[in-house]
């Protein structure tokens, strides 16, 4: 069974930094795009950043220049380095990936979410 497990959330002051990590586990044949989404209270889930298996990246306008997404294809991991954090970045952050398990067709998978709170 394929799983995505996030780590690295927490409480940080405005202007601070956090690094989120997500590891895919299970019988994985290949992983295509990986990304991070977030959902703030009362708001819809939104794409924060995404990265293809060749390393092309895409960022939401609100985080461009402050956040950096990266991945390690050998370890099936994706990370999100978040700098210059603002209170409006407060949300539950979710890892997402298009994964082809070894004996199943390609599917879209979500992690359980990790809380990021930016507050003084």
């Amino acid at each position: 069974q394929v799983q995505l497990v996030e780590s690295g959330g927490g409480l940080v002051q405005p202007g601070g930094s956090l690094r989120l990590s997500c590891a895919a586990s299970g019988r994985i044949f290949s992983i295509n795009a990986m990304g991070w989404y977030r959902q703030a209270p009362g708001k819809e889930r939104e794409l924060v950043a995404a990265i293809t298996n060749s390393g092309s990246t895409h960022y939401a306008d609100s985080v461009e220049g402050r956040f950096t997404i990266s991945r390690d294809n050998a370890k099936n991991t994706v990370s999100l380095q978040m700098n210059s954090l603002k209170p409006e970045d407060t949300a539950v952050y979710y890892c997402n990936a298009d994964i082809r398990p070894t004996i199943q067709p390609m599917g879209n998978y979500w992690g359980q979410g990790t809380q990021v709170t930016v507050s003084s």
Side-chain angles (χ1 to χ4, degrees), residues 19 36 51 57 59 68-72 77-81:
R19 184 176 180 86
W36 291 92
I51 184 167
T57 58
Y59 296 94
T68 302
I69 190 171
S70 59
R71 65 189 284 175
D72 185 329
T77 60
V78 62
S79 298
L80 186 68
Q81 177 66 41

Side-chain angles (χ1 to χ4, degrees), residues 7-83:
S7 61
L11 173 65
V12 64
Q13 292 186 342
S17 298
L18 277 178
R19 184 176 180 86
L20 305 182
S21 296
C22 172
S25 62
R27 296 186 174 185
I28 296 171
F29 178 78
S30 64
I31 302 178
N32 287 354
M34 304 184 82
W36 291 92
Y37 287 72
R38 68 186 180 188
Q39 187 166 20
K43 295 188 177 181
E44 294 187 353
R45 191 173 296 190
E46 63 174 358
L47 175 65
V48 175
I51 184 167
T52 67
N53 54 9
S54 61
S56 297
T57 58
H58 171 78
Y59 296 94
D61 290 344
S62 59
V63 307
E64 182 83 51
R66 299 188 296 123
F67 291 9
T68 302
I69 190 171
S70 59
R71 65 189 284 175
D72 185 329
N73 291 333
K75 297 181 179 179
N76 291 336
T77 60
V78 62
S79 298
L80 186 68
Q81 177 66 41
M82 304 185 294
N83 298 330

Side-chain angles (χ1 to χ4, degrees), residues 66-111:
R66 299 188 296 123
F67 291 9
T68 302
I69 190 171
S70 59
R71 65 189 284 175
D72 185 329
N73 291 333
K75 297 181 179 179
N76 291 336
T77 60
V78 62
S79 298
L80 186 68
Q81 177 66 41
M82 304 185 294
N83 298 330
S84 302
L85 282 160
K86 304 175 181 180
E88 51 263 45
D89 294 317
T90 295
V92 178
Y93 284 71
Y94 296 90
C95 178
N96 178 269
D98 292 325
I99 298 174
R100 182 185 171 190
T102 54
I103 57 172
Q104 292 177 299
M106 178 77 70
N108 186 256
Y109 294 82
W110 291 92

